[in-house]
Each structure stands twice: as structure tokens, then as C-alpha cells.
Amino acid sequence: MRVVIEPTAADVAERAAWIVARLVRFRPDASIALPTGRTPLLMYDELVRLHETAGLDFSRVTTFGLDEYRGLAGDDPRSFRSYLRRHFLDRVNVSPEKTHALDGLATDVAGECAAYEERIREAGGLDLALLGIGLEGHIGMNEPGSSLGSRTRLKTLTEHTARAAIGAFADADEVPRQALTMGVATILDARRCLLLATGRTKSAAVRHAVEGPLTSQVSASALQLHPDVQVILDEDAAADLARQAYYRAMELAQRALE
Ligand code: GLP
């Protein structure tokens, strides 16, 4: 794991956007998994800025939403699909037929999940999985206990996750209790993973993911198995890491080589 500690959340966003931009320039038909939540918002803004000011071209890029609430239509403003359109996809020139999302209203959920895996395969696999991290260390909606070998499927959300989502809903009762999500193994199949975390509330989850044991209780810890991962943190999210000084030294050495 390459652990990169940046001064601020804006620097995290800038670095992540720079990595996405470099991939898209080098590989215009890249396929990318996209997260939702508060964390990636600044990165999406930065990608939109690069599109508008530097001509970053997404026309051949394929995107896959990481997860979707069960029971919400894609055009429901509270769905993850709407979030991705609002904050990113509708603001750049991604072609609509190349943006994929899980259908929260699918009646055949297992079929929908298997078809999603197939669509990822048809796209040539994921070149990049962009990830946030939940308070309990989940990636996508892979809640504690998720098999490290899991594929796209339905998951029941923990109380923690449901509480964290309340902001987007009128009251706690409205928060969906289940979500369709790429599995841990689906994410690990991506050729490259970027995990972004900002703010003090994420520091414990980050510590468990980066320095804790590999465990299904913290699905982000499975990234330790992946050969090409960058964990990009602001100072607050890195605050609980025991080896901060080491990561900083490693990063300086790495940047000197690049
Ligand atoms: C949800 C999303 C995850 C996201 C997490 C953290 O669970 N499904 O993809 O990483 O929230 O969200 P935030 O960035 O708002 O803390």
C-alpha cells in the first residue's frame, strides 16, 4: 500500500483527480468504478474543472457506480445514481450509454448483480476503483462480515451506515436498509485502487484498514492484498496511524523517483 498524507482535503482531491486524469489521458477508454458520499465531492469538482479548462475528455470512458440503495429508482434524487449524475457525470462528457449503475428496483436482484459483473467483464474489467471508506471501514457497502471473496450482491446495512446516510433522507425511517454493492473481490479485481479519506471521523477506520489485520470485519483491510493501491489521506484522517513518519519518508523517496 502506498500511503500518501496530504495537508488538506483539497490536496487529497487534487491528487486523486490528477491520477484519474493521467489514466484517462493515457487510456481514453478506461473503465472506472465511482464512489458516492461526502469524500469524493471535491475530486469530482476538480475533474469537472480539468474537463472545462484543460479539455480532459471522458467521451470514451466507461463508469460503474459502486453501489445503490435497494428500493430507490435511479432517478430518485436520493439514489447513488442521481448523486453521480449530479456531481460528476452530467457535468463532463461521459456518454450516457457508458455509465452503468445497479438498479435498486430490480426484482431479480441476483440476476441484476450477476449482469453487473458481466458488464464489468465486457468492459475489460475495471482499470481503476475509486473508493471512500465508511466509519466501520467498509468499501462500497461491504459491511462488517462481508466475505473478502464476495462479488456484487445485496447487503443489509448496519445501523452505523444507516445513521450516516440520514442527511439525504427526510427521517431515519426512510433510509433504505439494504443496498446492492460490488463485492470485495469485485473491487480487488480492479487493476488499481485509490482509497480516499478525509476528516478526523475516518481516522480509526483508516488505521484498521491500513495497519490492522486483514479481516472481513473491515472490508477496506482487504486492500492490503492488492498490488496497486494508493491510500490518500488528509492530516486528520491519518491522525491515528502509528507509522505516519515512515509513510511520509517513503512518499518523499517515491516522489524523488517519479
Ligand atoms: C457510503 C458509500 C461508500 C462511501 C461511504 C463514506 O457507505 N456507499 O461508497 O465510501 O459512504 O461516505 P462519506 O464519504 O460521506 O463519509
Side-chain angles (χ1 to χ4, degrees), residues 68-72 76-80 141 157 161-178:
E68 185 55 274
Y69 287 121
R70 172 106 175 102
L72 293 191
D76 186 310
R78 301 162 304 177
S79 72
F80 287 153
M141 285 294 201
L157 307 180
T161 302
R163 265 204 307 277
I166 280 175
F169 295 86
D171 62 66
D173 292 342
E174 267 192 30
V175 181
R177 294 295 143 153
Q178 292 183 311

mmCIF file of all heavy atoms in Angstrom, residues 68-72 76-80 141 157 161-178:
data_model
loop_
_atom_site.group_PDB
_atom_site.id
_atom_site.type_symbol
_atom_site.label_atom_id
_atom_site.label_comp_id
_atom_site.label_asym_id
_atom_site.label_seq_id
_atom_site.Cartn_x
_atom_site.Cartn_y
_atom_site.Cartn_z
ATOM 1 N N GLU A 68 -25.751 0.818 -4.871
ATOM 2 C CA GLU A 68 -27.044 1.522 -4.973
ATOM 3 C C GLU A 68 -27.983 1.034 -3.871
ATOM 4 O O GLU A 68 -27.972 -0.146 -3.515
ATOM 5 C CB GLU A 68 -27.698 1.244 -6.334
ATOM 6 C CG GLU A 68 -28.982 2.010 -6.580
ATOM 7 C CD GLU A 68 -28.814 3.529 -6.427
ATOM 8 O OE1 GLU A 68 -28.919 4.021 -5.287
ATOM 9 O OE2 GLU A 68 -28.573 4.204 -7.453
ATOM 10 N N TYR A 69 -28.755 1.984 -3.342
ATOM 11 C CA TYR A 69 -29.748 1.595 -2.336
ATOM 12 C C TYR A 69 -30.818 0.707 -2.953
ATOM 13 O O TYR A 69 -31.310 0.979 -4.050
ATOM 14 C CB TYR A 69 -30.451 2.831 -1.768
ATOM 15 C CG TYR A 69 -29.611 3.647 -0.839
ATOM 16 C CD1 TYR A 69 -29.353 4.981 -1.113
ATOM 17 C CD2 TYR A 69 -29.088 3.096 0.322
ATOM 18 C CE1 TYR A 69 -28.594 5.755 -0.240
ATOM 19 C CE2 TYR A 69 -28.316 3.855 1.199
ATOM 20 C CZ TYR A 69 -28.084 5.184 0.912
ATOM 21 O OH TYR A 69 -27.337 5.927 1.768
ATOM 22 N N ARG A 70 -31.206 -0.309 -2.237
ATOM 23 C CA ARG A 70 -32.320 -1.171 -2.637
ATOM 24 C C ARG A 70 -33.618 -0.412 -2.393
ATOM 25 O O ARG A 70 -33.818 0.164 -1.322
ATOM 26 C CB ARG A 70 -32.301 -2.443 -1.785
ATOM 27 C CG ARG A 70 -33.510 -3.318 -1.971
ATOM 28 C CD ARG A 70 -33.130 -4.526 -2.772
ATOM 29 N NE ARG A 70 -34.226 -5.461 -2.879
ATOM 30 C CZ ARG A 70 -34.981 -5.575 -3.972
ATOM 31 N NH1 ARG A 70 -34.752 -4.823 -5.036
ATOM 32 N NH2 ARG A 70 -35.949 -6.470 -4.024
ATOM 33 N N GLY A 71 -34.469 -0.377 -3.430
ATOM 34 C CA GLY A 71 -35.776 0.265 -3.262
ATOM 35 C C GLY A 71 -35.843 1.674 -3.832
ATOM 36 O O GLY A 71 -36.912 2.271 -3.849
ATOM 37 N N LEU A 72 -34.722 2.228 -4.271
ATOM 38 C CA LEU A 72 -34.759 3.567 -4.865
ATOM 39 C C LEU A 72 -34.580 3.468 -6.375
ATOM 40 O O LEU A 72 -33.711 2.741 -6.863
ATOM 41 C CB LEU A 72 -33.644 4.455 -4.305
ATOM 42 C CG LEU A 72 -33.709 4.861 -2.835
ATOM 43 C CD1 LEU A 72 -32.674 5.958 -2.557
ATOM 44 C CD2 LEU A 72 -35.091 5.359 -2.450
ATOM 45 N N ASP A 76 -34.472 8.757 -8.621
ATOM 46 C CA ASP A 76 -34.781 9.323 -7.307
ATOM 47 C C ASP A 76 -33.580 10.174 -6.884
ATOM 48 O O ASP A 76 -32.448 9.703 -6.916
ATOM 49 C CB ASP A 76 -34.985 8.165 -6.300
ATOM 50 C CG ASP A 76 -35.453 8.660 -4.940
ATOM 51 O OD1 ASP A 76 -34.830 9.594 -4.396
ATOM 52 O OD2 ASP A 76 -36.442 8.108 -4.421
ATOM 53 N N PRO A 77 -33.806 11.428 -6.498
ATOM 54 C CA PRO A 77 -32.659 12.297 -6.166
ATOM 55 C C PRO A 77 -31.782 11.752 -5.034
ATOM 56 O O PRO A 77 -30.624 12.148 -4.895
ATOM 57 C CB PRO A 77 -33.299 13.637 -5.772
ATOM 58 C CG PRO A 77 -34.764 13.395 -5.700
ATOM 59 C CD PRO A 77 -35.086 12.132 -6.442
ATOM 60 N N ARG A 78 -32.342 10.817 -4.243
ATOM 61 C CA ARG A 78 -31.552 10.279 -3.126
ATOM 62 C C ARG A 78 -30.737 9.057 -3.534
ATOM 63 O O ARG A 78 -29.977 8.516 -2.743
ATOM 64 C CB ARG A 78 -32.476 9.919 -1.963
ATOM 65 C CG ARG A 78 -33.287 11.108 -1.456
ATOM 66 C CD ARG A 78 -34.476 10.678 -0.644
ATOM 67 N NE ARG A 78 -35.355 9.768 -1.396
ATOM 68 C CZ ARG A 78 -36.438 9.185 -0.910
ATOM 69 N NH1 ARG A 78 -36.800 9.432 0.333
ATOM 70 N NH2 ARG A 78 -37.152 8.367 -1.650
ATOM 71 N N SER A 79 -30.918 8.595 -4.777
ATOM 72 C CA SER A 79 -30.177 7.402 -5.210
ATOM 73 C C SER A 79 -28.720 7.757 -5.492
ATOM 74 O O SER A 79 -28.382 8.917 -5.751
ATOM 75 C CB SER A 79 -30.806 6.806 -6.469
ATOM 76 O OG SER A 79 -30.534 7.647 -7.582
ATOM 77 N N PHE A 80 -27.869 6.750 -5.450
ATOM 78 C CA PHE A 80 -26.452 6.985 -5.747
ATOM 79 C C PHE A 80 -26.265 7.309 -7.233
ATOM 80 O O PHE A 80 -25.361 8.030 -7.609
ATOM 81 C CB PHE A 80 -25.608 5.771 -5.351
ATOM 82 C CG PHE A 80 -25.450 5.622 -3.856
ATOM 83 C CD1 PHE A 80 -25.240 4.367 -3.295
ATOM 84 C CD2 PHE A 80 -25.490 6.720 -3.017
ATOM 85 C CE1 PHE A 80 -25.083 4.221 -1.913
ATOM 86 C CE2 PHE A 80 -25.333 6.586 -1.636
ATOM 87 C CZ PHE A 80 -25.137 5.326 -1.089
ATOM 88 N N MET A 141 -20.559 -0.937 -0.159
ATOM 89 C CA MET A 141 -21.432 -1.181 1.000
ATOM 90 C C MET A 141 -21.086 -2.546 1.598
ATOM 91 O O MET A 141 -21.973 -3.253 2.090
ATOM 92 C CB MET A 141 -22.895 -1.130 0.586
ATOM 93 C CG MET A 141 -23.400 0.279 0.347
ATOM 94 S SD MET A 141 -23.427 1.273 1.859
ATOM 95 C CE MET A 141 -24.604 2.533 1.342
ATOM 96 N N LEU A 157 -27.623 -3.154 5.525
ATOM 97 C CA LEU A 157 -26.767 -2.103 6.079
ATOM 98 C C LEU A 157 -26.760 -2.138 7.607
ATOM 99 O O LEU A 157 -27.783 -2.450 8.226
ATOM 100 C CB LEU A 157 -27.245 -0.736 5.590
ATOM 101 C CG LEU A 157 -27.385 -0.632 4.062
ATOM 102 C CD1 LEU A 157 -27.860 0.760 3.660
ATOM 103 C CD2 LEU A 157 -26.063 -0.962 3.375
ATOM 104 N N THR A 161 -24.159 2.625 9.247
ATOM 105 C CA THR A 161 -24.251 3.099 7.864
ATOM 106 C C THR A 161 -25.568 3.809 7.642
ATOM 107 O O THR A 161 -25.621 4.873 7.014
ATOM 108 C CB THR A 161 -24.114 1.907 6.889
ATOM 109 O OG1 THR A 161 -22.863 1.273 7.133
ATOM 110 C CG2 THR A 161 -24.176 2.371 5.442
ATOM 111 N N ALA A 162 -26.649 3.222 8.172
ATOM 112 C CA ALA A 162 -27.967 3.844 8.010
ATOM 113 C C ALA A 162 -27.964 5.221 8.672
ATOM 114 O O ALA A 162 -28.450 6.198 8.100
ATOM 115 C CB ALA A 162 -29.039 2.947 8.609
ATOM 116 N N ARG A 163 -27.365 5.330 9.858
ATOM 117 C CA ARG A 163 -27.325 6.632 10.546
ATOM 118 C C ARG A 163 -26.512 7.647 9.746
ATOM 119 O O ARG A 163 -26.888 8.802 9.620
ATOM 120 C CB ARG A 163 -26.719 6.462 11.947
ATOM 121 C CG ARG A 163 -27.754 6.279 13.044
ATOM 122 C CD ARG A 163 -27.229 6.686 14.413
ATOM 123 N NE ARG A 163 -25.971 6.039 14.752
ATOM 124 C CZ ARG A 163 -25.871 4.811 15.268
ATOM 125 N NH1 ARG A 163 -26.953 4.114 15.481
ATOM 126 N NH2 ARG A 163 -24.696 4.305 15.555
ATOM 127 N N ALA A 164 -25.387 7.177 9.190
ATOM 128 C CA ALA A 164 -24.523 8.096 8.434
ATOM 129 C C ALA A 164 -25.234 8.632 7.196
ATOM 130 O O ALA A 164 -24.898 9.704 6.694
ATOM 131 C CB ALA A 164 -23.234 7.385 8.030
ATOM 132 N N ALA A 165 -26.241 7.878 6.710
ATOM 133 C CA ALA A 165 -26.921 8.269 5.466
ATOM 134 C C ALA A 165 -28.100 9.191 5.715
ATOM 135 O O ALA A 165 -28.698 9.708 4.769
ATOM 136 C CB ALA A 165 -27.393 7.013 4.732
ATOM 137 N N ILE A 166 -28.443 9.414 6.978
ATOM 138 C CA ILE A 166 -29.700 10.105 7.295
ATOM 139 C C ILE A 166 -29.830 11.456 6.579
ATOM 140 O O ILE A 166 -30.900 11.805 6.101
ATOM 141 C CB ILE A 166 -29.875 10.264 8.831
ATOM 142 C CG1 ILE A 166 -30.392 8.949 9.400
ATOM 143 C CG2 ILE A 166 -30.801 11.409 9.186
ATOM 144 C CD1 ILE A 166 -30.498 8.925 10.902
ATOM 145 N N GLY A 167 -28.722 12.186 6.455
ATOM 146 C CA GLY A 167 -28.740 13.521 5.850
ATOM 147 C C GLY A 167 -29.513 13.605 4.546
ATOM 148 O O GLY A 167 -30.198 14.601 4.287
ATOM 149 N N ALA A 168 -29.413 12.575 3.731
ATOM 150 C CA ALA A 168 -30.046 12.613 2.406
ATOM 151 C C ALA A 168 -31.536 12.273 2.479
ATOM 152 O O ALA A 168 -32.244 12.398 1.482
ATOM 153 C CB ALA A 168 -29.341 11.637 1.474
ATOM 154 N N PHE A 169 -32.007 11.865 3.638
ATOM 155 C CA PHE A 169 -33.400 11.406 3.760
ATOM 156 C C PHE A 169 -34.151 12.271 4.771
ATOM 157 O O PHE A 169 -33.541 12.894 5.641
ATOM 158 C CB PHE A 169 -33.419 9.932 4.192
ATOM 159 C CG PHE A 169 -32.816 9.030 3.145
ATOM 160 C CD1 PHE A 169 -31.443 8.820 3.109
ATOM 161 C CD2 PHE A 169 -33.602 8.446 2.176
ATOM 162 C CE1 PHE A 169 -30.862 8.024 2.131
ATOM 163 C CE2 PHE A 169 -33.035 7.651 1.186
ATOM 164 C CZ PHE A 169 -31.670 7.435 1.170
ATOM 165 N N ALA A 170 -35.494 12.282 4.615
ATOM 166 C CA ALA A 170 -36.296 13.153 5.477
ATOM 167 C C ALA A 170 -36.220 12.712 6.942
ATOM 168 O O ALA A 170 -36.129 13.523 7.849
ATOM 169 C CB ALA A 170 -37.743 13.155 5.003
ATOM 170 N N ASP A 171 -36.252 11.415 7.205
ATOM 171 C CA ASP A 171 -36.065 10.932 8.575
ATOM 172 C C ASP A 171 -35.491 9.518 8.557
ATOM 173 O O ASP A 171 -35.395 8.887 7.496
ATOM 174 C CB ASP A 171 -37.361 10.991 9.394
ATOM 175 C CG ASP A 171 -38.439 10.110 8.797
ATOM 176 O OD1 ASP A 171 -38.245 8.874 8.807
ATOM 177 O OD2 ASP A 171 -39.451 10.654 8.307
ATOM 178 N N ALA A 172 -35.115 9.055 9.739
ATOM 179 C CA ALA A 172 -34.382 7.795 9.862
ATOM 180 C C ALA A 172 -35.143 6.617 9.243
ATOM 181 O O ALA A 172 -34.540 5.710 8.671
ATOM 182 C CB ALA A 172 -34.081 7.518 11.330
ATOM 183 N N ASP A 173 -36.487 6.652 9.335
ATOM 184 C CA ASP A 173 -37.285 5.535 8.820
ATOM 185 C C ASP A 173 -37.201 5.397 7.299
ATOM 186 O O ASP A 173 -37.487 4.343 6.750
ATOM 187 C CB ASP A 173 -38.764 5.706 9.193
ATOM 188 C CG ASP A 173 -38.959 5.554 10.685
ATOM 189 O OD1 ASP A 173 -38.041 4.989 11.325
ATOM 190 O OD2 ASP A 173 -39.986 6.021 11.195
ATOM 191 N N GLU A 174 -36.851 6.493 6.643
ATOM 192 C CA GLU A 174 -36.802 6.473 5.179
ATOM 193 C C GLU A 174 -35.500 5.893 4.628
ATOM 194 O O GLU A 174 -35.412 5.589 3.448
ATOM 195 C CB GLU A 174 -36.932 7.906 4.653
ATOM 196 C CG GLU A 174 -38.333 8.303 4.339
ATOM 197 C CD GLU A 174 -38.354 9.597 3.556
ATOM 198 O OE1 GLU A 174 -37.417 9.879 2.802
ATOM 199 O OE2 GLU A 174 -39.335 10.329 3.736
ATOM 200 N N VAL A 175 -34.473 5.781 5.468
ATOM 201 C CA VAL A 175 -33.182 5.309 4.973
ATOM 202 C C VAL A 175 -33.307 3.840 4.576
ATOM 203 O O VAL A 175 -33.743 3.013 5.394
ATOM 204 C CB VAL A 175 -32.074 5.451 6.058
ATOM 205 C CG1 VAL A 175 -30.728 4.973 5.519
ATOM 206 C CG2 VAL A 175 -31.971 6.889 6.530
ATOM 207 N N PRO A 176 -32.972 3.506 3.323
ATOM 208 C CA PRO A 176 -33.068 2.102 2.927
ATOM 209 C C PRO A 176 -32.190 1.220 3.822
ATOM 210 O O PRO A 176 -31.138 1.659 4.291
ATOM 211 C CB PRO A 176 -32.544 2.102 1.489
ATOM 212 C CG PRO A 176 -32.709 3.502 1.016
ATOM 213 C CD PRO A 176 -32.504 4.363 2.224
ATOM 214 N N ARG A 177 -32.639 0.018 4.078
ATOM 215 C CA ARG A 177 -31.899 -0.888 4.967
ATOM 216 C C ARG A 177 -30.999 -1.836 4.206
ATOM 217 O O ARG A 177 -30.278 -2.642 4.792
ATOM 218 C CB ARG A 177 -32.879 -1.692 5.826
ATOM 219 C CG ARG A 177 -33.657 -0.829 6.788
ATOM 220 C CD ARG A 177 -32.705 -0.224 7.797
ATOM 221 N NE ARG A 177 -33.117 1.133 8.129
ATOM 222 C CZ ARG A 177 -32.860 1.731 9.275
ATOM 223 N NH1 ARG A 177 -32.184 1.111 10.204
ATOM 224 N NH2 ARG A 177 -33.245 2.971 9.489
ATOM 225 N N GLN A 178 -31.096 -1.800 2.873
ATOM 226 C CA GLN A 178 -30.289 -2.711 2.061
ATOM 227 C C GLN A 178 -29.719 -1.970 0.865
ATOM 228 O O GLN A 178 -30.249 -0.941 0.444
ATOM 229 C CB GLN A 178 -31.144 -3.881 1.567
ATOM 230 C CG GLN A 178 -31.589 -4.811 2.692
ATOM 231 C CD GLN A 178 -32.363 -5.989 2.157
ATOM 232 O OE1 GLN A 178 -33.272 -5.810 1.363
ATOM 233 N NE2 GLN A 178 -31.994 -7.185 2.576
#
